[in-house]
């Protein structure tokens, strides 16, 4: 935990979920300011971070955005914070900020509950290419 980069925001995601993997790839592609690092929730480090934050990873079917030493966000709030950091067309997601976070989380939970059925599931977490290894923490 002490080796986590303090100047990066860490996205914890479901490493076997096809939707989550595609979302991580999209974020990497548009992270022109090199803000984010990624950790699969299923990994040892993912488990350490969720334990440190007091989040029961067995019940966690959400994306988590963790800014070490500052704050963490999950579900819809994490997605909105990520979109805000990416800027550009992703800034349009701020429109969703007019809804109470509880409403946004209901929509998020509906997609999260059905993500494997709609998008599928992998047997194991993605292994990053050499070009992407620096974006992933382990």
């Amino acid at each position: 935990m002490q080796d986590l980069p303090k100047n990066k925001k860490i996205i914890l995601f479901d490493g076997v979920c096809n939707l989550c993997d595609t979302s991580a790839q999209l974020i990497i592609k548009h992270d022109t300011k090199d803000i984010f690092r990624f950790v699969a929730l299923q990994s040892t480090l993912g488990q350490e971070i969720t334990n440190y934050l007091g989040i029961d990873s067995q019940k966690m079917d959400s994306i988590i955005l963790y800014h070490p030493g500052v704050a963490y966000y999950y579900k819809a709030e994490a997605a909105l914070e990520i979109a805000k950091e990416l800027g550009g067309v992703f800034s349009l997601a701020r429109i969703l900020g007019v809804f109470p976070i509880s409403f946004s989380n209901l929509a998020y939970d509906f997609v999260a509950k059905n993500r494997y059925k709609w998008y599928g599931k992998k047997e194991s977490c993605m292994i990053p290419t050499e070009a992407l290894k620096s974006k992933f923490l382990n």
Side-chain angles (χ1 to χ4, degrees), residues 41 47 50-51 53-62 64:
L41 284 164
Q47 296 291 307
T50 55
N51 287 339
L53 296 174
I55 298 170
D56 182 357
S57 61
Q58 298 301 316
K59 296 178 183 176
M60 183 53 59
D61 59 354
S62 173
I64 301 169

Side-chain angles (χ1 to χ4, degrees), residues 114-127:
N114 293 289
R115 70 189 187 279
Y116 294 145
K117 181 171 42 172
W118 295 342
Y119 299 98
K121 183 178 179 179
K122 299 174 187 186
E123 291 297 316
S124 61
C125 296
M126 173 194 73
I127 298 174

Side-chain angles (χ1 to χ4, degrees), residues 45-102:
L45 181 57
Q47 296 291 307
E48 286 178 28
I49 294 171
T50 55
N51 287 339
Y52 175 78
L53 296 174
I55 298 170
D56 182 357
S57 61
Q58 298 301 316
K59 296 178 183 176
M60 183 53 59
D61 59 354
S62 173
I63 190 171
I64 301 169
L65 176 63
Y66 175 47
H67 189 180
V70 180
Y72 75 92
Y73 309 91
Y74 64 103
K75 295 187 181 190
E77 195 172 20
L80 291 172
E81 288 293 320
I82 292 166
K84 182 170 60 172
E85 290 289 357
L86 291 175
V89 70
F90 298 99
S91 295
L92 295 175
R94 286 184 174 168
I95 293 168
L96 299 174
V98 301
F99 297 106
I101 198 66
S102 59

Side-chain angles (χ1 to χ4, degrees), residues 22-33:
T22 300
S23 298
Q25 296 298 323
L26 180 74
I27 294 166
I28 289 168
K29 180 179 177 182
H30 294 282
D31 183 18
T32 57
K33 297 177 188 169

